[in-house]
Amino acid sequence: KVLASDEAGSYLTTAYALTNTGELYSWGNAVRGALGNGTTTPNLTRAFLVSTGVADFSIVGADAKAVFMLKTNGELQSFGANEQGVLGLGDTVDRTSPTLVRVNGTTGAVFSGVSKLLQGPSGTYSTMAVIKNDGTLWVVGSNNNGNLGLGDTADRNIFTQVNIQTAISSVFINNDVLPGGADAITLYTV
């Protein structure tokens, strides 16, 4: 799996590749920690090994600079731009290295049992959703216009469970953009 992101058409591209053996590599622009290599210095000469044991990954946000890694053990790590708290670490501080997501941000039990990453829209605001092994849906980030489905409009900087009465296996995230650049995220259980 290979993904590349372009910072709002500025040609400041960051690229990521996940090998069949679970190694995640990054190269290119390092704005706001997007490479996961501990710096904000671009890596223009060779791919950097970000992590091993990666089952899947996703990039989200306005400039696609927030990165989530689903580890083979069901744990979640994130790094990069942390707008609206989208990294799920309990704050809005950018991270230049992969950081383990915990139930209360960076403290408490490990947020684990994740089975699927659901990339939020790539519009102005940053949103991420995951499905856990038990079929529950968890969301984090921008809640502009109540798009997280939590009954309010407060942003979330830790993963919060959406109150759905039945286990789900997948979700469609509508990538419409409202006037003013806000994303309209509609969650449909399938």
Side-chain angles (χ1 to χ4, degrees):
K1 176 178 181 178
V2 176
L3 293 176
S5 66
D6 177 29
E7 186 176 334
S10 65
Y11 306 104
L12 296 174
T13 301
T14 306
Y16 307 90
L18 179 61
T19 68
N20 292 336
T21 58
E23 296 172 323
L24 180 65
Y25 289 88
S26 67
W27 61 94
N29 185 17
V31 68
R32 301 184 68 182
L35 289 179
N37 65 356
T39 74
T40 56
T41 303
N43 183 3
L44 307 175
T45 58
R46 64 180 177 85
F48 170 77
L49 176 62
V50 178
S51 187
T52 60
V54 178
D56 195 10
F57 77 102
S58 184
I59 54 178
V60 298
D63 300 325
K65 297 294 188 244
V67 180
F68 286 85
M69 296 184 303
L70 174 58
K71 304 291 278 191
T72 55
N73 63 2
E75 293 177 354
L76 195 60
Q77 292 184 348
S78 60
F79 61 90
N82 197 11
E83 299 201 12
Q84 290 90 29
V86 71
L87 295 181
L89 301 172
D91 57 36
T92 57
V93 177
D94 294 348
R95 299 301 197 285
T96 59
S97 298
T99 304
L100 184 63
V101 176
R102 297 184 175 275
V103 174
N104 295 317
T106 56
T107 63
V110 173
F111 184 78
S112 61
V114 175
S115 62
K116 192 173 204 177
L117 300 175
L118 305 166
Q119 180 173 340
S122 58
T124 305
Y125 298 98
S126 301
T127 303
M128 183 64 183
V130 299
I131 296 176
K132 287 188 145 195
N133 294 331
D134 62 4
T136 56
L137 176 66
W138 295 74
V139 293
V140 69
S142 172
N143 196 20
N144 193 40
N145 299 313
N147 54 316
L148 292 180
L150 300 172
D152 59 41
T153 57
D155 293 344
R156 297 301 196 280
N157 60 22
I158 60 171
F159 277 91
T160 304
Q161 185 176 351
V162 177
N163 186 12
I164 297 177
Q165 300 303 314
T166 184
I168 58 174
S169 60
S170 64
V171 173
F172 170 74
I173 300 180
N174 185 2
N175 196 12
D176 292 336
V177 178
L178 300 172
D183 298 310
I185 302 174
T186 308
L187 303 176
Y188 300 94
T189 59
V190 185

